[in-house]
Amino acid sequence: MVKICNYGFDESFIDEHRDIHGIAYTQNVLSGRYKNIILWYLKEGDKRFNEIKKLLVSISQGSLTKQLKELEHDKVISRTVYPEVPPKVVYGLTDKGRDLIPVIDMMEAFGEKYSEDSINRK
């Protein structure tokens, strides 16, 4: 079984199951309750922290900060600080993040096709 955590993967798993490593890696990058939605929102363009917070009304400031830091650590998003008073911080997708957008779009299409709301609309 793969070890999904912030520290990586169990080496014996990688050696034994090379074919599934890509799936496990992607799952590790996207693990987090709001990461998929943050990436979906950032595909429209760069956003400030408060814009992302307004989209995710139920998330605490700490949780949002944690999710953004993890995405930044994985080099999926970039964080740009502008030297203003008050400081302006903008988040945007990196090339790696843009490469994840087709995955997010496929998740969106799957949800539209199979979610309860979609079934009730047909």
Side-chain angles (χ1 to χ4, degrees):
M1 186 74 182
V2 66
K3 177 183 175 188
I4 302 292
C5 70
N6 293 333
Y7 307 108
F9 302 97
D10 180 17
E11 290 299 321
S12 65
F13 170 82
I14 293 171
D15 293 339
E16 295 173 23
H17 302 284
R18 267 284 174 213
D19 53 335
I20 200 167
H21 179 259
I23 294 169
Y25 175 80
T26 305
Q27 179 182 349
N28 195 49
V29 170
L30 294 176
S31 66
R33 185 172 180 182
Y34 299 100
K35 287 181 181 178
N36 299 319
I37 296 169
I38 291 168
L39 294 176
W40 172 85
Y41 192 47
L42 289 177
K43 78 179 185 177
E44 298 175 353
D46 295 353
K47 305 288 185 210
R48 294 182 72 172
F49 183 91
N50 284 337
E51 293 176 288
I52 300 169
K53 178 78 172 91
K54 285 179 188 173
L55 173 71
L56 304 169
V57 293
S58 63
I59 193 171
S60 70
Q61 183 168 332
S63 291
L64 179 55
T65 298
K66 181 178 185 274
Q67 298 278 286
L68 291 169
K69 281 184 180 180
E70 289 175 4
L71 288 167
E72 185 181 8
H73 177 266
D74 288 329
K75 297 179 176 54
V76 175
I77 65 169
S78 62
R79 179 180 185 265
T80 306
V81 180
Y82 295 93
E84 300 176 2
V85 177
K88 177 181 175 183
V89 179
V90 176
Y91 295 91
L93 294 174
T94 61
D95 288 340
K96 186 176 179 180
R98 282 187 282 281
D99 284 347
L100 272 172
I101 294 304
V103 175
I104 302 298
D105 289 342
M106 289 172 56
M107 292 171 67
E108 179 183 8
F110 180 88
E112 285 294 318
K113 184 173 181 178
Y114 293 107
S115 71
E116 196 67 36
D117 292 340
S118 297
I119 293 169
N120 291 335
R121 284 184 280 189
K122 293 179 182 180

